[in-house]
PDB file of all heavy atoms in Angstrom:
ATOM      1  N   HIS J 234      68.122 -25.528 -29.565  1.00 97.00           N
ATOM      2  CA  HIS J 234      69.454 -24.790 -29.758  1.00 97.00           C
ATOM      3  C   HIS J 234      69.886 -24.961 -31.099  1.00 97.00           C
ATOM      4  O   HIS J 234      70.457 -23.975 -31.678  1.00 97.00           O
ATOM      5  CB  HIS J 234      70.326 -25.115 -28.754  1.00 97.00           C
ATOM      6  CG  HIS J 234      71.714 -24.473 -28.846  1.00 97.00           C
ATOM      7  ND1 HIS J 234      72.782 -25.150 -29.418  1.00 97.00           N
ATOM      8  CD2 HIS J 234      72.088 -23.224 -28.585  1.00 97.00           C
ATOM      9  CE1 HIS J 234      73.770 -24.305 -29.470  1.00 97.00           C
ATOM     10  NE2 HIS J 234      73.464 -23.084 -28.894  1.00 97.00           N
ATOM     11  N   ALA J 235      69.870 -26.080 -31.684  1.00 96.00           N
ATOM     12  CA  ALA J 235      70.569 -26.408 -32.903  1.00 96.00           C
ATOM     13  C   ALA J 235      69.947 -25.580 -34.069  1.00 96.00           C
ATOM     14  O   ALA J 235      70.667 -25.062 -34.964  1.00 96.00           O
ATOM     15  CB  ALA J 235      70.327 -27.880 -33.378  1.00 96.00           C
ATOM     16  N   ALA J 236      68.669 -25.142 -33.973  1.00 97.00           N
ATOM     17  CA  ALA J 236      67.979 -24.439 -34.977  1.00 97.00           C
ATOM     18  C   ALA J 236      68.020 -22.941 -34.733  1.00 97.00           C
ATOM     19  O   ALA J 236      67.896 -22.049 -35.488  1.00 97.00           O
ATOM     20  CB  ALA J 236      66.485 -24.752 -35.039  1.00 97.00           C
ATOM     21  N   MET J 237      68.258 -22.556 -33.415  1.00 98.00           N
ATOM     22  CA  MET J 237      68.151 -21.152 -32.961  1.00 98.00           C
ATOM     23  C   MET J 237      69.521 -20.439 -32.732  1.00 98.00           C
ATOM     24  O   MET J 237      69.637 -19.269 -32.670  1.00 98.00           O
ATOM     25  CB  MET J 237      67.311 -21.018 -31.762  1.00 98.00           C
ATOM     26  CG  MET J 237      65.881 -21.393 -32.008  1.00 98.00           C
ATOM     27  SD  MET J 237      64.894 -21.196 -30.412  1.00 98.00           S
ATOM     28  CE  MET J 237      65.063 -19.523 -30.090  1.00 98.00           C
ATOM     29  N   LYS J 238      70.573 -21.282 -32.829  1.00 97.00           N
ATOM     30  CA  LYS J 238      71.842 -20.687 -32.349  1.00 97.00           C
ATOM     31  C   LYS J 238      72.449 -19.639 -33.363  1.00 97.00           C
ATOM     32  O   LYS J 238      71.987 -19.736 -34.553  1.00 97.00           O
ATOM     33  CB  LYS J 238      72.890 -21.861 -32.266  1.00 97.00           C
ATOM     34  CG  LYS J 238      73.273 -22.533 -33.491  1.00 97.00           C
ATOM     35  CD  LYS J 238      74.234 -23.697 -33.203  1.00 97.00           C
ATOM     36  CE  LYS J 238      74.666 -24.449 -34.555  1.00 97.00           C
ATOM     37  NZ  LYS J 238      75.561 -25.500 -34.242  1.00 97.00           N
ATOM     38  N   SER J 239      73.247 -18.803 -32.912  1.00 97.00           N
ATOM     39  CA  SER J 239      73.908 -17.780 -33.691  1.00 97.00           C
ATOM     40  C   SER J 239      72.937 -16.674 -34.227  1.00 97.00           C
ATOM     41  O   SER J 239      73.251 -16.007 -35.100  1.00 97.00           O
ATOM     42  CB  SER J 239      74.655 -18.421 -34.952  1.00 97.00           C
ATOM     43  OG  SER J 239      75.658 -19.325 -34.582  1.00 97.00           O
ATOM     44  N   GLU J 240      71.780 -16.613 -33.412  1.00 97.00           N
ATOM     45  CA  GLU J 240      70.769 -15.583 -33.784  1.00 97.00           C
ATOM     46  C   GLU J 240      70.454 -14.668 -32.714  1.00 97.00           C
ATOM     47  O   GLU J 240      70.677 -15.148 -31.422  1.00 97.00           O
ATOM     48  CB  GLU J 240      69.585 -16.252 -34.302  1.00 97.00           C
ATOM     49  CG  GLU J 240      69.825 -17.130 -35.633  1.00 97.00           C
ATOM     50  CD  GLU J 240      70.036 -16.184 -36.812  1.00 97.00           C
ATOM     51  OE1 GLU J 240      69.616 -14.993 -36.786  1.00 97.00           O
ATOM     52  OE2 GLU J 240      70.487 -16.613 -37.888  1.00 97.00           O
ATOM     53  N   ILE J 241      69.844 -13.520 -33.042  1.00 97.00           N
ATOM     54  CA  ILE J 241      69.269 -12.730 -31.958  1.00 97.00           C
ATOM     55  C   ILE J 241      67.769 -12.733 -32.137  1.00 97.00           C
ATOM     56  O   ILE J 241      67.200 -12.736 -33.154  1.00 97.00           O
ATOM     57  CB  ILE J 241      69.745 -11.266 -32.326  1.00 97.00           C
ATOM     58  CG1 ILE J 241      71.231 -11.210 -32.166  1.00 97.00           C
ATOM     59  CG2 ILE J 241      69.048 -10.206 -31.408  1.00 97.00           C
ATOM     60  CD1 ILE J 241      71.886  -9.861 -32.781  1.00 97.00           C
ATOM     61  N   TYR J 242      67.015 -12.689 -30.945  1.00 98.00           N
ATOM     62  CA  TYR J 242      65.596 -12.800 -30.996  1.00 98.00           C
ATOM     63  C   TYR J 242      64.887 -11.741 -29.922  1.00 98.00           C
ATOM     64  O   TYR J 242      65.436 -11.637 -28.870  1.00 98.00           O
ATOM     65  CB  TYR J 242      65.088 -14.207 -30.497  1.00 98.00           C
ATOM     66  CG  TYR J 242      65.484 -15.303 -31.364  1.00 98.00           C
ATOM     67  CD1 TYR J 242      66.721 -16.003 -31.191  1.00 98.00           C
ATOM     68  CD2 TYR J 242      64.743 -15.646 -32.487  1.00 98.00           C
ATOM     69  CE1 TYR J 242      67.187 -16.956 -32.000  1.00 98.00           C
ATOM     70  CE2 TYR J 242      65.240 -16.802 -33.301  1.00 98.00           C
ATOM     71  CZ  TYR J 242      66.374 -17.379 -33.055  1.00 98.00           C
ATOM     72  OH  TYR J 242      66.731 -18.454 -33.957  1.00 98.00           O
ATOM     73  N   ASN J 243      64.138 -10.968 -30.498  1.00 97.00           N
ATOM     74  CA  ASN J 243      63.262 -10.144 -29.597  1.00 97.00           C
ATOM     75  C   ASN J 243      62.229 -11.093 -28.769  1.00 97.00           C
ATOM     76  O   ASN J 243      61.803 -12.046 -29.466  1.00 97.00           O
ATOM     77  CB  ASN J 243      62.446  -9.193 -30.433  1.00 97.00           C
ATOM     78  CG  ASN J 243      63.242  -8.039 -31.049  1.00 97.00           C
ATOM     79  OD1 ASN J 243      64.286  -7.754 -30.628  1.00 97.00           O
ATOM     80  ND2 ASN J 243      62.752  -7.657 -32.257  1.00 97.00           N
ATOM     81  N   VAL J 244      62.139 -10.777 -27.565  1.00 98.00           N
ATOM     82  CA  VAL J 244      61.242 -11.586 -26.745  1.00 98.00           C
ATOM     83  C   VAL J 244      60.190 -10.646 -26.037  1.00 98.00           C
ATOM     84  O   VAL J 244      60.579  -9.877 -25.135  1.00 98.00           O
ATOM     85  CB  VAL J 244      62.046 -12.425 -25.640  1.00 98.00           C
ATOM     86  CG1 VAL J 244      61.066 -13.254 -24.835  1.00 98.00           C
ATOM     87  CG2 VAL J 244      63.101 -13.308 -26.383  1.00 98.00           C
ATOM     88  N   GLY J 245      58.995 -10.721 -26.517  1.00 98.00           N
ATOM     89  CA  GLY J 245      57.983  -9.800 -25.893  1.00 98.00           C
ATOM     90  C   GLY J 245      56.642 -10.300 -26.278  1.00 98.00           C
ATOM     91  O   GLY J 245      56.463 -11.414 -27.031  1.00 98.00           O
ATOM     92  N   LEU J 246      55.619  -9.661 -25.788  1.00 98.00           N
ATOM     93  CA  LEU J 246      54.301  -9.916 -26.078  1.00 98.00           C
ATOM     94  C   LEU J 246      53.767  -9.122 -27.280  1.00 98.00           C
ATOM     95  O   LEU J 246      53.835  -7.920 -27.245  1.00 98.00           O
ATOM     96  CB  LEU J 246      53.291  -9.613 -24.980  1.00 98.00           C
ATOM     97  CG  LEU J 246      53.338 -10.480 -23.715  1.00 98.00           C
ATOM     98  CD1 LEU J 246      52.662  -9.750 -22.603  1.00 98.00           C
ATOM     99  CD2 LEU J 246      52.689 -11.813 -23.951  1.00 98.00           C
ATOM    100  N   SER J 247      53.405  -9.834 -28.497  1.00 96.00           N
ATOM    101  CA  SER J 247      53.111  -9.141 -29.760  1.00 96.00           C
ATOM    102  C   SER J 247      51.816  -8.143 -29.433  1.00 96.00           C
ATOM    103  O   SER J 247      51.697  -7.198 -30.226  1.00 96.00           O
ATOM    104  CB  SER J 247      52.906 -10.026 -30.788  1.00 96.00           C
ATOM    105  OG  SER J 247      54.165 -10.506 -31.124  1.00 96.00           O
ATOM    106  N   ASP J 248      50.942  -8.413 -28.524  1.00 95.00           N
ATOM    107  CA  ASP J 248      49.715  -7.771 -28.239  1.00 95.00           C
ATOM    108  C   ASP J 248      50.011  -6.658 -27.081  1.00 95.00           C
ATOM    109  O   ASP J 248      49.098  -6.173 -26.646  1.00 95.00           O
ATOM    110  CB  ASP J 248      48.496  -8.578 -28.006  1.00 95.00           C
ATOM    111  CG  ASP J 248      48.685  -9.444 -26.761  1.00 95.00           C
ATOM    112  OD1 ASP J 248      49.801  -9.442 -26.099  1.00 95.00           O
ATOM    113  OD2 ASP J 248      47.793 -10.145 -26.311  1.00 95.00           O
ATOM    114  N   ALA J 249      51.278  -6.495 -26.802  1.00 95.00           N
ATOM    115  CA  ALA J 249      51.519  -5.593 -25.657  1.00 95.00           C
ATOM    116  C   ALA J 249      52.573  -4.527 -26.126  1.00 95.00           C
ATOM    117  O   ALA J 249      53.536  -4.304 -25.366  1.00 95.00           O
ATOM    118  CB  ALA J 249      52.001  -6.380 -24.367  1.00 95.00           C
ATOM    119  N   ASN J 250      52.501  -4.075 -27.257  1.00 95.00           N
ATOM    120  CA  ASN J 250      53.206  -2.737 -27.611  1.00 95.00           C
ATOM    121  C   ASN J 250      52.260  -1.573 -27.172  1.00 95.00           C
ATOM    122  O   ASN J 250      51.505  -1.158 -27.944  1.00 95.00           O
ATOM    123  CB  ASN J 250      53.582  -2.744 -29.132  1.00 95.00           C
ATOM    124  CG  ASN J 250      54.737  -3.690 -29.448  1.00 95.00           C
ATOM    125  OD1 ASN J 250      55.762  -3.482 -28.972  1.00 95.00           O
ATOM    126  ND2 ASN J 250      54.427  -4.706 -30.176  1.00 95.00           N
TER     127      ASN J 250
END
Side-chain angles (χ1 to χ4, degrees):
H234 179 259
M237 293 177 64
K238 66 181 181 180
S239 302
E240 294 289 342
I241 298 167
Y242 298 90
N243 293 328
V244 181
L246 290 165
S247 289
D248 62 355
N250 281 295

